[in-house]
Amino acid sequence: MAKDPARRTGRWTTPADEALRWVRGTDLTALDPAGTPGWAGTRADGEKLLADRGDELADLQERLFAHGRSGGDRSVLLVLQGLDTSGKGGIVRHVVGMVDPQGVMHRGFGVPTQEERERGYLWRIRNALPRPGYVGVFDRSHHEQVLVVRVDKLEPEATWRRHYDELNAFEAEVAASGTEIVKVALMVSSDEQKKRLAKRLDRPDKHWKYNPSDIDVRLKLPEYLAAYQEMLDRTSTDVAPWYVVPADRKWYSRLAVTELLAGALRSLDLGWPPADFDVAAEKARLAAT
Ligand code: AMP
Ligand code: MG
Protein backbone atom coordinates (compact mmCIF):
# COMPACT_ATOMS: atom_id res chain seq x y z
CA MET A 1 0.00 0.00 0.00
CA ALA A 2 1.37 3.39 -0.92
CA LYS A 3 1.86 5.66 2.08
CA ASP A 4 1.84 8.93 0.18
CA PRO A 5 -1.82 10.01 0.12
CA ALA A 6 -1.28 11.79 -3.22
CA ARG A 7 -0.57 8.38 -4.71
CA ARG A 8 -3.74 6.91 -3.34
CA THR A 9 -6.19 9.64 -4.23
CA GLY A 10 -6.13 10.70 -7.83
CA ARG A 11 -7.64 14.02 -8.80
CA TRP A 12 -7.95 16.47 -11.64
CA THR A 13 -5.49 19.28 -11.05
CA THR A 14 -6.99 21.01 -14.09
CA PRO A 15 -10.56 20.17 -15.20
CA ALA A 16 -10.53 17.81 -18.19
CA ASP A 17 -12.33 20.26 -20.48
CA GLU A 18 -9.69 22.92 -19.82
CA ALA A 19 -6.75 20.52 -19.99
CA LEU A 20 -7.87 18.92 -23.27
CA ARG A 21 -9.63 21.67 -25.21
CA TRP A 22 -7.77 22.24 -28.47
CA VAL A 23 -6.01 25.58 -28.75
CA ARG A 24 -5.69 26.53 -32.40
CA GLY A 25 -2.14 26.48 -33.64
CA THR A 26 -0.89 23.98 -31.05
CA ASP A 27 1.59 21.56 -32.62
CA LEU A 28 -0.14 18.19 -32.67
CA THR A 29 3.15 16.32 -33.19
CA ALA A 30 4.32 17.67 -29.81
CA LEU A 31 1.43 15.97 -27.99
CA ASP A 32 2.38 12.99 -25.82
CA PRO A 33 -0.12 10.20 -26.54
CA ALA A 34 0.92 8.53 -23.26
CA GLY A 35 0.29 11.69 -21.26
CA THR A 36 -2.51 12.23 -18.74
CA PRO A 37 -3.17 15.99 -18.98
CA GLY A 38 -4.82 17.48 -15.91
CA TRP A 39 -4.80 14.19 -14.01
CA ALA A 40 -2.64 13.49 -10.97
CA GLY A 41 -3.01 9.93 -9.85
CA THR A 42 -2.43 6.30 -10.65
CA ARG A 43 -4.28 4.02 -12.99
CA ALA A 44 -6.09 2.46 -10.02
CA ASP A 45 -7.22 5.93 -8.88
CA GLY A 46 -8.43 6.69 -12.37
CA GLU A 47 -10.40 3.46 -12.61
CA LYS A 48 -12.01 4.10 -9.24
CA LEU A 49 -13.08 7.62 -10.20
CA LEU A 50 -14.43 6.32 -13.51
CA ALA A 51 -16.72 3.91 -11.65
CA ASP A 52 -17.92 6.70 -9.34
CA ARG A 53 -18.53 9.06 -12.25
CA GLY A 54 -20.64 6.39 -13.92
CA ASP A 55 -23.42 6.94 -11.39
CA GLU A 56 -23.42 10.68 -12.01
CA LEU A 57 -23.31 10.19 -15.77
CA ALA A 58 -26.30 7.84 -15.62
CA ASP A 59 -28.24 10.34 -13.50
CA LEU A 60 -27.47 13.23 -15.86
CA GLN A 61 -28.44 11.16 -18.90
CA GLU A 62 -31.72 10.15 -17.30
CA ARG A 63 -32.55 13.81 -16.68
CA LEU A 64 -31.91 14.51 -20.36
CA PHE A 65 -34.13 11.60 -21.38
CA ALA A 66 -36.90 12.78 -19.04
CA HIS A 67 -36.53 16.29 -20.46
CA GLY A 68 -36.99 14.93 -23.98
CA ARG A 69 -40.05 12.94 -22.92
CA SER A 70 -41.67 16.11 -21.58
CA GLY A 71 -41.21 18.13 -24.74
CA GLY A 72 -37.70 19.48 -24.16
CA ASP A 73 -35.47 20.14 -27.16
CA ARG A 74 -31.97 19.48 -25.78
CA SER A 75 -29.63 16.66 -26.76
CA VAL A 76 -25.93 15.86 -26.63
CA LEU A 77 -23.73 14.68 -29.49
CA LEU A 78 -20.43 12.96 -28.73
CA VAL A 79 -18.25 12.80 -31.84
CA LEU A 80 -15.40 10.29 -31.69
CA GLN A 81 -12.55 10.54 -34.15
CA GLY A 82 -9.27 8.66 -34.03
CA LEU A 83 -7.18 6.27 -36.06
CA ASP A 84 -7.63 2.50 -35.88
CA THR A 85 -6.89 1.14 -32.38
CA SER A 86 -7.25 4.58 -30.77
CA GLY A 87 -10.03 3.12 -28.64
CA LYS A 88 -13.24 4.58 -30.08
CA GLY A 89 -15.10 1.32 -29.57
CA GLY A 90 -13.80 1.04 -26.01
CA ILE A 91 -15.15 4.52 -25.25
CA VAL A 92 -18.55 3.42 -26.50
CA ARG A 93 -18.50 0.26 -24.35
CA HIS A 94 -16.92 1.64 -21.19
CA VAL A 95 -18.10 5.26 -21.10
CA VAL A 96 -21.34 5.41 -23.03
CA GLY A 97 -22.02 1.89 -21.70
CA MET A 98 -22.47 3.35 -18.21
CA VAL A 99 -25.77 5.01 -19.15
CA ASP A 100 -29.19 3.59 -20.04
CA PRO A 101 -28.94 2.29 -23.64
CA GLN A 102 -32.52 3.33 -24.42
CA GLY A 103 -31.37 6.96 -24.27
CA VAL A 104 -28.43 6.51 -26.64
CA MET A 105 -28.42 6.87 -30.42
CA HIS A 106 -25.18 5.31 -31.62
CA ARG A 107 -23.94 5.34 -35.17
CA GLY A 108 -20.67 4.21 -36.73
CA PHE A 109 -19.64 5.67 -40.08
CA GLY A 110 -17.75 3.53 -42.56
CA VAL A 111 -17.06 3.85 -46.26
CA PRO A 112 -20.19 5.52 -47.71
CA THR A 113 -22.54 3.37 -49.74
CA GLN A 114 -23.48 4.28 -53.29
CA GLU A 115 -26.73 5.87 -52.07
CA GLU A 116 -24.93 7.83 -49.36
CA ARG A 117 -22.44 9.14 -51.89
CA GLU A 118 -25.20 10.29 -54.20
CA ARG A 119 -27.07 12.13 -51.46
CA GLY A 120 -24.11 14.21 -50.29
CA TYR A 121 -21.87 13.52 -47.33
CA LEU A 122 -24.05 15.25 -44.73
CA TRP A 123 -27.17 13.25 -45.55
CA ARG A 124 -26.28 10.18 -43.50
CA ILE A 125 -24.96 12.42 -40.75
CA ARG A 126 -28.20 14.41 -40.49
CA ASN A 127 -30.17 11.17 -40.37
CA ALA A 128 -28.15 9.99 -37.40
CA LEU A 129 -28.37 13.17 -35.29
CA PRO A 130 -29.74 12.60 -31.78
CA ARG A 131 -33.39 13.40 -31.26
CA PRO A 132 -34.32 15.62 -28.30
CA GLY A 133 -33.56 13.84 -25.03
CA TYR A 134 -30.92 11.55 -26.52
CA VAL A 135 -27.18 11.22 -26.28
CA GLY A 136 -25.91 10.73 -29.82
CA VAL A 137 -22.60 8.99 -30.37
CA PHE A 138 -20.75 9.13 -33.68
CA ASP A 139 -17.95 6.58 -34.15
CA ARG A 140 -16.20 8.51 -36.92
CA SER A 141 -18.17 11.33 -38.47
CA HIS A 142 -18.53 14.07 -41.07
CA HIS A 143 -14.94 14.98 -40.26
CA GLU A 144 -13.73 12.00 -42.31
CA GLN A 145 -14.45 14.35 -45.19
CA VAL A 146 -11.24 16.21 -44.32
CA LEU A 147 -9.33 13.13 -43.05
CA VAL A 148 -9.53 9.93 -45.13
CA VAL A 149 -10.94 11.86 -48.08
CA ARG A 150 -7.90 14.15 -48.00
CA VAL A 151 -5.25 11.52 -47.29
CA ASP A 152 -6.56 9.01 -49.85
CA LYS A 153 -7.23 11.78 -52.39
CA LEU A 154 -10.87 10.72 -52.78
CA GLU A 155 -11.72 14.27 -53.83
CA PRO A 156 -9.63 17.02 -55.40
CA GLU A 157 -8.04 19.38 -52.88
CA ALA A 158 -10.22 22.32 -53.89
CA THR A 159 -13.28 20.22 -53.04
CA TRP A 160 -12.25 18.86 -49.63
CA ARG A 161 -10.90 22.27 -48.62
CA ARG A 162 -14.42 23.66 -48.92
CA HIS A 163 -15.61 21.19 -46.30
CA TYR A 164 -14.02 23.02 -43.35
CA ASP A 165 -16.48 25.91 -43.68
CA GLU A 166 -19.33 23.51 -44.46
CA LEU A 167 -18.61 21.46 -41.35
CA ASN A 168 -18.58 24.58 -39.20
CA ALA A 169 -21.82 25.89 -40.70
CA PHE A 170 -23.46 22.48 -40.23
CA GLU A 171 -22.39 22.22 -36.60
CA ALA A 172 -23.53 25.79 -35.87
CA GLU A 173 -26.95 24.77 -37.17
CA VAL A 174 -26.99 21.58 -35.08
CA ALA A 175 -25.96 23.50 -31.96
CA ALA A 176 -28.63 26.14 -32.58
CA SER A 177 -31.27 23.40 -32.66
CA GLY A 178 -30.45 22.47 -29.05
CA THR A 179 -27.64 19.93 -29.37
CA GLU A 180 -24.58 20.24 -27.15
CA ILE A 181 -21.65 19.03 -29.27
CA VAL A 182 -18.54 17.41 -27.78
CA LYS A 183 -15.86 16.42 -30.28
CA VAL A 184 -13.12 14.08 -29.14
CA ALA A 185 -9.98 13.23 -31.11
CA LEU A 186 -8.24 10.20 -29.61
CA MET A 187 -4.51 10.26 -30.26
CA VAL A 188 -2.64 6.96 -30.12
CA SER A 189 1.13 6.74 -30.67
CA SER A 190 2.61 4.80 -33.56
CA ASP A 191 4.27 2.32 -31.16
CA GLU A 192 1.12 1.70 -29.17
CA GLN A 193 -0.89 1.29 -32.37
CA LYS A 194 1.59 -1.31 -33.58
CA LYS A 195 1.20 -3.24 -30.30
CA ARG A 196 -2.58 -3.13 -30.50
CA LEU A 197 -2.60 -4.29 -34.12
CA ALA A 198 -0.18 -7.11 -33.23
CA LYS A 199 -2.56 -8.18 -30.48
CA ARG A 200 -5.45 -8.18 -32.92
CA LEU A 201 -3.45 -10.48 -35.19
CA ASP A 202 -2.39 -12.77 -32.35
CA ARG A 203 -5.84 -13.32 -30.94
CA PRO A 204 -8.54 -15.09 -32.94
CA ASP A 205 -11.16 -13.27 -30.85
CA LYS A 206 -9.74 -9.95 -32.13
CA HIS A 207 -9.43 -10.83 -35.81
CA TRP A 208 -12.86 -9.36 -36.51
CA LYS A 209 -11.47 -5.95 -35.54
CA TYR A 210 -8.50 -6.22 -37.88
CA ASN A 211 -8.56 -4.95 -41.41
CA PRO A 212 -5.55 -5.41 -43.73
CA SER A 213 -6.03 -1.76 -44.74
CA ASP A 214 -5.07 -0.77 -41.17
CA ILE A 215 -1.44 -1.27 -42.25
CA ASP A 216 -1.93 1.05 -45.22
CA VAL A 217 -3.29 3.70 -42.86
CA ARG A 218 -0.23 3.20 -40.63
CA LEU A 219 2.03 3.86 -43.57
CA LYS A 220 0.30 7.22 -44.00
CA LEU A 221 0.54 8.37 -40.37
CA PRO A 222 2.38 11.63 -41.18
CA GLU A 223 -0.32 12.52 -43.73
CA TYR A 224 -3.03 11.70 -41.18
CA LEU A 225 -1.33 13.83 -38.53
CA ALA A 226 -1.24 16.76 -40.95
CA ALA A 227 -4.91 16.21 -41.74
CA TYR A 228 -5.79 16.04 -38.04
CA GLN A 229 -3.76 19.18 -37.34
CA GLU A 230 -5.66 21.20 -39.93
CA MET A 231 -9.03 19.69 -38.97
CA LEU A 232 -8.45 20.69 -35.34
CA ASP A 233 -7.32 24.18 -36.27
CA ARG A 234 -10.12 24.80 -38.76
CA THR A 235 -13.11 23.11 -37.10
CA SER A 236 -12.62 23.91 -33.42
CA THR A 237 -15.35 26.45 -32.77
CA ASP A 238 -17.07 27.84 -29.68
CA VAL A 239 -20.19 25.75 -30.30
CA ALA A 240 -18.30 22.62 -31.34
CA PRO A 241 -14.85 22.55 -29.74
CA TRP A 242 -12.40 19.71 -30.20
CA TYR A 243 -10.90 17.95 -27.21
CA VAL A 244 -7.67 16.11 -28.00
CA VAL A 245 -7.34 13.09 -25.73
CA PRO A 246 -4.11 11.09 -25.41
CA ALA A 247 -5.13 7.48 -25.93
CA ASP A 248 -2.14 5.26 -25.17
CA ARG A 249 -3.52 4.70 -21.68
CA LYS A 250 -7.03 3.48 -22.12
CA TRP A 251 -7.99 4.11 -18.48
CA TYR A 252 -7.07 7.78 -18.97
CA SER A 253 -8.91 8.31 -22.25
CA ARG A 254 -12.03 6.66 -20.82
CA LEU A 255 -11.91 8.76 -17.67
CA ALA A 256 -11.29 11.93 -19.69
CA VAL A 257 -14.17 11.33 -22.10
CA THR A 258 -16.44 10.51 -19.17
CA GLU A 259 -15.61 13.92 -17.68
CA LEU A 260 -16.21 15.68 -20.99
CA LEU A 261 -19.55 13.95 -21.54
CA ALA A 262 -20.65 14.57 -17.95
CA GLY A 263 -19.61 18.21 -18.33
CA ALA A 264 -21.73 18.61 -21.46
CA LEU A 265 -24.76 17.04 -19.74
CA ARG A 266 -24.21 19.12 -16.60
CA SER A 267 -24.05 22.31 -18.67
CA LEU A 268 -27.64 21.68 -19.80
CA ASP A 269 -28.62 22.18 -16.15
CA LEU A 270 -31.71 20.02 -16.35
CA GLY A 271 -33.91 19.37 -13.34
CA TRP A 272 -36.54 16.65 -13.20
CA PRO A 273 -39.62 17.65 -15.18
CA PRO A 274 -42.63 18.36 -12.96
CA ALA A 275 -45.46 15.82 -13.03
CA ASP A 276 -48.21 16.65 -15.51
CA PHE A 277 -50.74 14.94 -13.25
CA ASP A 278 -52.02 15.51 -9.71
CA VAL A 279 -49.61 13.46 -7.56
CA ALA A 280 -51.82 13.48 -4.45
CA ALA A 281 -54.86 12.43 -6.44
CA GLU A 282 -52.93 9.60 -8.09
CA LYS A 283 -51.67 8.40 -4.67
CA ALA A 284 -55.25 8.32 -3.44
CA ARG A 285 -56.38 6.43 -6.54
CA LEU A 286 -53.57 3.91 -6.14
CA ALA A 287 -54.33 3.41 -2.45
CA ALA A 288 -57.94 2.68 -3.35
CA THR A 289 -56.97 -0.21 -5.62
P1 AMP B 1 -13.86 1.19 -38.86
O1 AMP B 1 -14.06 2.44 -38.04
O2 AMP B 1 -12.64 0.42 -38.44
O3 AMP B 1 -15.09 0.37 -38.92
O4 AMP B 1 -13.54 1.65 -40.34
C1 AMP B 1 -14.39 2.48 -41.06
C2 AMP B 1 -13.71 2.87 -42.35
O5 AMP B 1 -14.57 3.73 -43.06
C3 AMP B 1 -12.40 3.61 -42.14
O6 AMP B 1 -11.40 3.05 -42.93
C4 AMP B 1 -12.72 5.02 -42.61
O7 AMP B 1 -11.61 5.64 -43.20
C5 AMP B 1 -13.82 4.78 -43.63
N1 AMP B 1 -14.66 5.97 -43.80
C6 AMP B 1 -15.42 6.58 -42.87
N2 AMP B 1 -16.01 7.68 -43.37
C7 AMP B 1 -15.61 7.78 -44.66
C8 AMP B 1 -15.86 8.70 -45.70
N3 AMP B 1 -16.66 9.77 -45.52
N4 AMP B 1 -15.27 8.47 -46.89
C9 AMP B 1 -14.46 7.40 -47.07
N5 AMP B 1 -14.18 6.50 -46.13
C10 AMP B 1 -14.73 6.68 -44.93
MG1 MG C 1 -10.85 -0.32 -38.11
Side-chain angles (χ1 to χ4, degrees):
M1 272 277 120
K3 290 213 178 76
D4 176 1
R7 278 186 60 78
R8 286 201 307 267
T9 322
R11 66 194 171 90
W12 289 98
T13 52
T14 308
D17 59 336
E18 266 177 58
L20 299 168
R21 193 179 178 123
W22 181 252
V23 177
R24 285 184 196 181
T26 311
D27 177 7
L28 186 60
T29 59
L31 179 114
D32 177 9
T36 60
W39 175 254
T42 62
R43 170 182 181 156
D45 298 329
E47 285 172 349
K48 184 174 177 304
L49 182 63
L50 179 66
D52 292 350
R53 281 286 192 270
D55 295 339
E56 192 201 354
L57 196 66
D59 175 81
L60 288 164
Q61 179 272 330
E62 194 179 345
R63 284 168 194 264
L64 175 60
F65 196 70
H67 168 85
R69 277 295 169 89
S70 15
D73 66 349
R74 308 307 308 273
S75 61
V76 169
L77 175 62
L78 175 66
V79 173
L80 298 172
Q81 282 292 162
L83 295 176
D84 301 297
T85 77
S86 61
K88 302 185 294 295
I91 297 285
V92 174
R93 280 194 305 283
H94 296 276
V95 177
V96 182
M98 294 193 290
V99 311
D100 187 345
Q102 76 170 323
V104 175
M105 290 178 66
H106 170 272
R107 179 73 193 269
F109 293 100
V111 179
T113 62
Q114 182 61 30
E115 184 188 20
E116 287 170 344
R117 251 190 301 271
E118 284 165 7
R119 300 223 184 207
Y121 71 95
L122 286 176
W123 179 72
R124 63 176 184 168
I125 304 291
R126 285 185 192 279
N127 281 341
L129 287 172
R131 291 192 297 276
Y134 284 78
V135 173
V137 182
F138 285 179
D139 181 335
R140 300 187 193 265
S141 69
H142 37 300
H143 295 89
E144 291 291 344
Q145 221 62 26
V146 293
L147 295 172
V148 67
V149 168
R150 166 182 176 156
V151 173
D152 284 353
K153 303 183 169 58
L154 304 178
E155 289 177 351
E157 176 162 357
T159 308
W160 62 253
R161 282 213 165 272
R162 280 200 292 274
H163 299 326
Y164 294 117
D165 289 342
E166 291 164 6
L167 296 176
N168 291 338
F170 169 67
E171 289 181 341
E173 182 196 313
V174 171
S177 76
T179 303
E180 192 71 21
I181 305 172
V182 180
K183 301 194 290 191
V184 171
L186 295 163
M187 304 308 294
V188 66
S189 68
S190 174
D191 287 352
E192 181 63 24
Q193 185 186 56
K194 191 167 189 171
K195 275 187 213 154
R196 291 181 187 175
L197 287 173
K199 195 165 158 190
R200 286 184 184 181
L201 284 170
D202 277 343
R203 290 178 45 176
D205 64 321
K206 301 274 183 196
H207 286 171
W208 67 274
K209 286 193 192 183
Y210 185 84
N211 188 325
S213 74
D214 294 350
I215 308 284
D216 303 313
V217 171
R218 248 185 95 65
L219 294 170
K220 296 176 214 157
L221 277 184
E223 288 91 333
Y224 269 104
L225 272 179
Y228 267 88
Q229 174 83 50
E230 194 164 1
M231 174 195 78
L232 294 168
D233 286 339
R234 301 278 310 264
T235 66
S236 253
T237 60
D238 286 343
V239 292
W242 275 108
Y243 297 95
V244 178
V245 177
D248 276 13
R249 300 174 199 260
K250 288 180 179 171
W251 63 265
Y252 173 80
S253 54
R254 290 170 189 174
L255 177 62
V257 177
T258 301
E259 298 287 4
L260 297 172
L261 185 56
L265 284 159
R266 228 181 274 123
S267 76
L268 302 179
D269 198 21
L270 299 175
W272 295 105
D276 58 1
F277 50 84
D278 181 337
V279 178
E282 291 305 308
K283 281 184 178 170
R285 286 184 62 219
L286 178 64
T289 59

